[in-house]
Amino acid sequence: MSSPKSPVEPTYADRVYRSLGGIIGGTLLLGLIGWLAIDAIVRGAGRTPWFAVAAVLLVVPLVVALSIRPAVMVSDDRVLIRNPFRTVHLPWGAIEDFRAGYSSEVWTKAGDKFQLWAVPVSLRQRNRAARRREREERAKAGRANTVGTQLPDHGTQLAPADQTISDLRGLIEHNAGRASAQGEPRTRWAFELIVPAAVGAVLMIVLFVVG
C-alpha cells in the first residue's frame, strides 16, 4: 500500500513590477540619443565625434538606470529590487513592511529602508482614485434606500502604486515563514552602468580642458 502523499503547497509565478511610462520614455530617449550621436560621429569635424562618444558613454547609462532598469521582482522566497545603481536582494523573512507616501519604500526588520523606483507614486492618480471612491460611496448610498438590499462590492479603488504596495504587503504574511525565505539582505552596485558613465564624464572633462 502506498503511503499517503503530503499536501503540496501551491506555487506562484514570479511577479515583476515596472513602470511602463518609464520604459517607453527611456526607449524613445535612447533612440533620439543614438540618432544624434551617429549624426555627430559621421558628420562632425574636429573633436565633435569625441564629444559625441563621451556624451553617449555618460548619458546612455544614466537614461537606462533611471528609466528602463528599475524593477521589483517577486518570488516565493525573496524580493529583488533593481534601483538605478543598486540591486537589493531581500528574503521575505527580513521584510518588515511596504509603505507608499511620497515614494514607495520597503522597510526591513533591521530598520533599513530601500526605495522602490519601479513603483512611482503619483499624487494625481491617488487624488483621482480618492474622488472615484467618493463617487462610488455616494452612488451606493443613494441606491441602498431599500431595507435589506444587498449591493455588490466592487472592492476599494486604489491608485496603481498604492495597489502594488497593498499586494506586496499581502505577500509578506504568506511567504515570510518559509524556510527558504530566510536570510539577510544583500546589495550590489550596478558597476556595469556606473563605470561607463564615469568614463564618459572623465572623457568629457578632458575634452573641455584641452579644448
Side-chain angles (χ1 to χ4, degrees), residues 43-55:
R43 300 184 181 183
R47 282 190 294 270
T48 299
W50 287 104
F51 273 108
V53 171

Side-chain angles (χ1 to χ4, degrees), residues 2 7-8 29 41 46 54 59 73 75 79 82-83 105 107 111 119 124 127 135 141-142 159 165 181 185 189 208 210:
S2 60
V8 178
L29 189 55
I41 292 172
V59 176
M73 305 176 188
S75 70
V79 177
R82 265 195 350 218
N83 283 338
E105 303 164 348
W107 288 77
V119 188
R124 177 181 297 180
N127 292 333
R135 289 196 301 268
I165 294 299
W189 291 100
F208 273 116
V210 301

Side-chain angles (χ1 to χ4, degrees), residues 29-30 33 54-64 197:
L29 189 55
L30 287 176
I33 293 171
V56 168
L57 288 174
L58 174 61
V59 176
V60 168
L62 297 179
V63 172
V64 172

Side-chain angles (χ1 to χ4, degrees), residues 12 15 17 74-76 79 92 98 165-176:
Y12 300 87
R15 307 182 189 186
Y17 299 92
V74 177
S75 70
D76 291 336
V79 177
W92 282 108
F98 291 92
I165 294 299
S166 177
D167 294 343
L168 292 173
R169 276 180 172 171
L171 293 174
I172 297 176
E173 182 178 357
H174 178 79
N175 293 319

